[in-house]
Amino acid sequence: MAIFSKTCEYAIRAVFYIAHKSASGDRAGLKDIAAGIDSPELYLAKILQDLSRKGLIRSVKGPNGGFYVDADSLARPLSDIVEAVDGQGLFHGCALGLKQCSEINPCPLHDQFKSIRGQISDLLHRTTIGGFNEELIGGLLSLKK
Amino acid sequence: MAIFSKTCEYAIRAVFYIAHKSASGDRAGLKDIAAGIDSPELYLAKILQDLSRKGLIRSVKGPNGGFYVDADSLARPLSDIVEAVDGQGLFHGCALGLKQCSEINPCPLHDQFKSIRGQISDLLHRTTIGGFNEELIGGLLSLKK
DNA sequence: TAATAAAAGGATATTCTTGTCCTTTATTCA
DNA sequence: TGAATAAAGGACAAGAATATCCTTTTATTA
Ligand code: FES
Ligand code: FES
């Protein structure tokens, strides 16, 4: 198992991709993004429609249209994307699938897992959507293969 | 998304359950285990068959039969179960789903995720199957609800 | 205003995970 | 030895995640 669903992996990679294009003032078209993050184009379309409906990214139809993120959204934490796609499980769920993670009825992994889960949460809350733009533009980081 | 697949959650809870019964010298029957960890009985049967085939737990058929773990297996790391059920993804996979997690072609989350992934790996390698028997017998830890 | 480009939306297909059913095999015990 | 018990195994069913297809809407620009 991975930390994120496949859908969420595509969503994050796409949002990073769009963000770094937006930083250069460009919009990104669907084909462009799909190629840039190595994802199935039509499935990605659905994901982006969803993020757009939820206001996490912007879109413009017609010639020269495409997807972009505004300055506000560039500063948003990555956790907003994760939560929109995968829900809150990663932030609050029990490692062993108990209905409710709690101190009162803890599973064997609770104590140690709580700390790790907290670090994942911190990472996703600290990281912003636009936070890697320089490295992405500079080609130091990768979103494909 | 959770860290483990549902199948793996059941597997871990079941193995902990069987281990703590084995510590008391008992075998655990399917119904007993399913009730003890709150899982669908017939699905759990498949999971246990699989673990049994792979030698991670033992089983005996017939009256008074059931599942148990021998002393050797009690000392095995939990990572053996996770690997048998969910594979190696959790230990080596890229957070954003790149084909190959690497230093040469890192995704934006690589550096920070590597550390977290390492902690998960450590936790699962340090924790043994029988490691929580006392707390389970004492009722301090829970495997259901 | 007409032609074109690109995202939105609805429906459907495919694949994987999870869960159930029924028969067979092995073990115990009367 | 025969009846009862419990896991093993094979086939199937339901649901969710992933992926594709086709039509509609909106924006651009010639
Ligand atoms: S109860 Fe399982 S992680 Fe908290
Ligand atoms: S490349 Fe993504 S975690 Fe290492």
Side-chain angles (χ1 to χ4, degrees), chain A residues 14-141:
Chain A
V15 165
F16 277 147
Y17 187 88
I18 296 167
H20 107 270
K21 287 269 168 162
S22 294
S24 323
D26 284 335
R27 281 182 208 141
L30 179 60
K31 274 192 228 307
D32 177 17
I33 304 168
I37 71 169
D38 192 36
S39 76
E41 184 180 324
L42 294 167
Y43 187 57
L44 182 62
K46 293 301 177 195
I47 299 171
L48 295 180
Q49 277 166 34
D50 185 47
L51 293 178
S52 180
R53 255 184 268 111
K54 288 174 175 159
L56 294 167
I57 61 175
R58 306 264 153 191
S59 72
V60 176
K61 287 182 178 180
N64 239 318
F67 298 90
Y68 67 100
V69 294
D70 56 32
D72 278 8
S73 297
L74 278 178
R76 283 192 159 179
L78 202 55
S79 53
D80 283 6
I81 305 292
V82 174
E83 204 173 312
V85 177
D86 278 351
Q88 299 228 318
L90 189 53
F91 304 116
H92 298 112
C94 166
L96 298 189
L98 301 194
K99 294 232 170 58
Q100 169 81 6
C101 167
S102 82
E103 308 289 337
I104 299 150
N105 198 52
C107 75
L109 301 184
H110 176 80
D111 283 351
Q112 298 185 261
F113 182 68
K114 200 171 88 166
S115 148
I116 291 169
R117 193 182 53 191
Q119 291 177 56
I120 295 172
S121 180
D122 282 355
L123 167 56
L124 296 174
H125 281 92
R126 277 196 326 265
T127 305
T128 64
I129 286 172
F132 292 107
N133 283 348
E134 286 75 18
E135 293 89 338
L136 286 168
I137 291 167
L140 298 175
L141 293 175

Side-chain angles (χ1 to χ4, degrees), chain B residues 93-96 98 100-102 105-107 109-110 113-114 117:
Chain B
C94 166
L96 298 189
L98 301 194
Q100 169 82 5
C101 166
S102 82
N105 198 50
C107 76
L109 301 185
H110 176 80
F113 182 69
K114 199 171 88 165
R117 195 182 52 192

